[in-house]
Amino acid sequence: MDIRNLLTFVAFAFTIFQVCSADEEVENGYIFTSPRSLKKGQNNQLQLLRFGCLDSSSLNVQLYYKKNYNSNETLGQQQTYNIAKGSKDALLNFLFEPFDGIDNVYSGRLQINGTMCGKPISGSDDVHFSSTNANIYIIQTDKPLYKPGQTVQFRVLKLDKNLKPLDNNSDVTDVYVEDPKGTRLFQFKSVQLGKGITQMEFPLADEPVQGSWRITVSNSKDTASTRFDVKEYKLPKFEVKINFPSFVLRNADTIPVSVCAQYTYGEPVQAHLNLNTSLEMYSYESSYSRTPVLQNSLELDGCYSYTINVTEIDPKRDHKYKRIKVSANVIEDGTGVQVNATQYLSRSYSPLNMDFNVNSDHGKYYRPGLPYNGKLKVSNPDNTPAAGEPVEICATVSRRRIIDTWLANKQVKFCKNYTSDENGYIKYTILPQNVDAVSINLN
């Protein structure tokens, strides 16, 4: 039994459980489970798990189906089970016999009715139908989503159970296409599948039924299908990107920026560019405290690169805490289609980030008389390794000893210069300390 399908159906079983146990505060209840997909011509295992009252009871299982979207439900088959007294967990075999004269149905529903301790129980949920094919069919469309009016191209490959293509000229089957309402709109009769991959296509109407369509391959022994979606969608003609450096320090005087407009297929856009550069503005700021906005208008051929002079947008250099804001309005030549983009840049206060806690398993304690080995990670503000950076590591050792009943405290500082390796790491060693050393501070 497929565990994934089983679990999805448990939700239905719990719904029934809540209904039947509401009056008795969960003292008496049950869980009914079934595969989400029932296999034709085989025994499908159902399960009834009871709680509390375990008297003898009966359970009637009914299977309904619909031929198409607009048809009424038809009772396909039913079976009644007698649950013995004291039986807590009952496994029920439900033989699903194919419907007479019907190869494919639109949908199915499983309904249960019965009694438990003299009280009626009932519930239902949707199920799917599947069959065990003697062969394997691979049905593939050229894309999963289509717009109205497009042509759907697909191919079918038939394999045996050993995944080998069949070689039989008399191996023919029917292929048909159904819309979301179950209406058969296209049909290919006696398609030859005995010579490898077979390719077919069909056009969609200008106003088709939107939703999930189905392509089905069917013969007297096997049935297989795949689905694709039809709906209106509109891809963006082009996109605009504003690119900043990976990091910028707050004391930087200039900042390089590039604005690029590209079509979805990679070609540059010919357009008119309106560009605004400024510091971000807060809604509570007065007009007196606001900084200048640089405006530029030019013709764009794919990309435009320029350099921000920070003093032009922050003349007094007293707003280093604010982010830099760049807004681009791109108007495509010929069509007038507009795409807007806005990007913010935060400036870093420190040129380097240093972390002594590289390895969480590394001891936070040292043993007097033994050297202490550690590692320091040095990185740039964008978290990339900072290689070749000179760093001075200082160790402040706190010492404590008793001299003639007096408690004496002393601090000794040791410093040494290091250079980070290509991965941004520095391995350092603190020389053995006397037994009067009680702590070491690193910076």
Side-chain angles (χ1 to χ4, degrees):
M1 185 180 293
D2 189 332
I3 292 296
R4 179 181 60 187
N5 291 338
L6 173 62
L7 293 178
T8 58
F9 199 67
V10 170
F12 145 61
F14 275 109
T15 303
I16 302 174
F17 171 78
Q18 294 171 355
V19 172
C20 72
S21 61
D23 294 337
E24 301 191 14
E25 298 181 353
V26 200
E27 293 181 359
N28 299 323
Y30 70 95
I31 298 175
F32 178 81
T33 58
S34 164
R36 177 66 72 181
S37 178
L38 299 179
K39 293 187 178 297
K40 298 179 182 178
Q42 295 187 12
N43 273 318
N44 296 267
Q45 193 172 81
L46 316 178
Q47 183 182 29
L48 179 67
L49 183 63
R50 299 191 296 172
F51 304 93
C53 177
L54 299 179
D55 290 347
S56 60
S57 60
S58 63
L59 183 71
N60 181 255
V61 179
Q62 298 174 324
L63 183 61
Y64 293 88
Y65 68 91
K66 293 175 66 174
K67 294 181 179 179
N68 53 60
Y69 180 80
N70 295 315
S71 66
N72 295 324
E73 278 191 331
T74 302
L75 176 61
Q77 65 184 78
Q78 61 178 329
Q79 190 169 343
T80 300
Y81 302 90
N82 294 317
I83 312 301
K85 183 177 181 179
S87 176
K88 181 179 180 180
D89 189 359
L91 298 178
L92 315 173
N93 287 324
F94 185 76
L95 178 60
F96 175 23
E97 298 177 354
F99 305 125
D100 294 336
I102 301 175
D103 294 331
N104 293 285
V105 297
Y106 178 73
S107 64
R109 182 174 65 88
L110 199 66
Q111 170 78 40
I112 65 170
N113 296 284
T115 59
M116 183 173 176
C117 298
K119 293 187 177 182
I121 60 174
S122 64
S124 70
D125 201 3
D126 294 334
V127 292
H128 308 299
F129 305 129
S130 61
S131 58
T132 303
N133 293 336
N135 300 287
I136 299 172
Y137 294 86
I138 299 176
I139 310 171
Q140 185 181 50
T141 56
D142 60 332
K143 57 183 181 179
L145 178 62
Y146 296 87
K147 294 173 63 176
Q150 290 186 333
T151 298
V152 178
Q153 297 179 331
F154 67 101
R155 55 189 177 183
V156 181
L157 174 63
K158 184 177 181 180
L159 308 172
D160 61 19
K161 288 190 175 182
N162 296 319
L163 300 180
K164 294 181 178 180
L166 300 178
D167 187 9
N168 185 356
N169 290 329
S170 62
D171 191 355
V172 295
T173 188
D174 293 339
V175 180
Y176 56 88
V177 182
E178 295 173 307
D179 67 10
K181 292 184 177 182
T183 304
R184 187 177 297 188
L185 298 180
F186 299 95
Q187 184 167 279
F188 304 86
K189 301 290 288 184
S190 301
V191 177
Q192 173 62 251
L193 295 182
K195 290 295 182 180
I197 296 176
T198 301
Q199 299 191 34
M200 289 164 277
E201 64 179 43
F202 59 90
L204 293 172
D206 293 334
E207 296 183 0
V209 178
Q210 298 189 29
S212 179
W213 288 50
R214 181 167 61 183
I215 301 175
T216 301
V217 176
S218 178
N219 58 25
S220 58
K221 296 181 180 180
D222 301 329
T223 299
S225 62
T226 190
R227 289 185 177 273
F228 63 92
D229 292 325
V230 176
K231 66 178 182 179
E232 289 281 4
Y233 66 95
K234 186 176 182 181
L235 291 174
K237 293 188 62 178
F238 63 90
E239 59 180 355
V240 178
K241 291 184 178 180
I242 301 172
N243 303 308
F244 291 121
S246 58
F247 68 91
V248 172
L249 299 180
R250 64 172 180 169
N251 59 354
D253 295 324
T254 58
I255 302 172
V257 183
S258 66
V259 179
C260 292
Q262 281 188 327
Y263 292 104
T264 52
Y265 48 85
E267 292 297 319
V269 177
Q270 310 287 328
H272 184 79
L273 171 64
N274 296 313
L275 193 62
N276 289 347
T277 307
S278 66
L279 297 178
E280 66 176 332
M281 299 180 184
Y282 305 132
S283 57
Y284 56 80
E285 285 184 310
S286 65
S287 58
Y288 298 102
S289 61
R290 295 196 174 184
T291 52
V293 177
L294 302 182
Q295 297 181 335
N296 196 3
S297 183
L298 53 98
E299 295 303 316
L300 180 68
D301 184 8
C303 288
Y304 170 67
S305 298
Y306 71 107
T307 300
I308 300 174
N309 189 339
V310 179
T311 56
E312 293 182 354
I313 58 175
D314 188 10
K316 296 181 180 180
R317 300 301 296 269
D318 54 359
H319 294 88
K320 294 180 180 180
Y321 59 92
K322 285 189 173 183
R323 296 183 298 174
I324 293 175
K325 175 183 176 182
V326 175
S327 297
N329 167 247
V330 178
I331 306 173
E332 184 184 24
D333 291 347
T335 65
V337 174
Q338 298 188 35
V339 175
N340 299 318
T342 299
Q343 195 74 14
Y344 292 89
L345 172 67
S346 298
R347 291 173 284 180
S348 303
Y349 281 77
S350 174
L352 294 174
N353 297 323
M354 289 180 281
D355 184 12
F356 281 103
N357 300 316
V358 176
N359 188 353
S360 58
D361 296 330
H362 192 72
K364 294 183 179 181
Y365 303 94
Y366 74 95
R367 294 181 180 180
L370 295 177
Y372 180 89
N373 298 312
K375 186 185 287 187
L376 172 68
K377 181 181 179 181
V378 185
S379 58
N380 295 309
D382 60 351
N383 293 323
T384 58
E389 292 289 344
V391 177
E392 182 185 55
I393 299 179
C394 293
T396 302
V397 182
S398 297
R399 294 176 176 173
R400 181 182 299 171
R401 66 174 57 182
I402 299 176
I403 304 175
D404 293 335
T405 71
W406 290 90
L407 180 61
N409 293 309
K410 184 179 180 181
Q411 288 188 337
V412 181
K413 189 174 184 180
F414 304 94
C415 295
K416 187 176 180 180
N417 293 324
Y418 297 88
T419 301
S420 58
D421 62 18
E422 60 182 3
N423 296 316
Y425 289 104
I426 293 175
K427 295 181 180 180
Y428 61 89
T429 300
I430 299 176
L431 297 177
Q433 301 297 313
N434 295 331
V435 294
D436 60 351
V438 295
S439 66
I440 300 176
N441 244 345
L442 296 175
N443 54 56

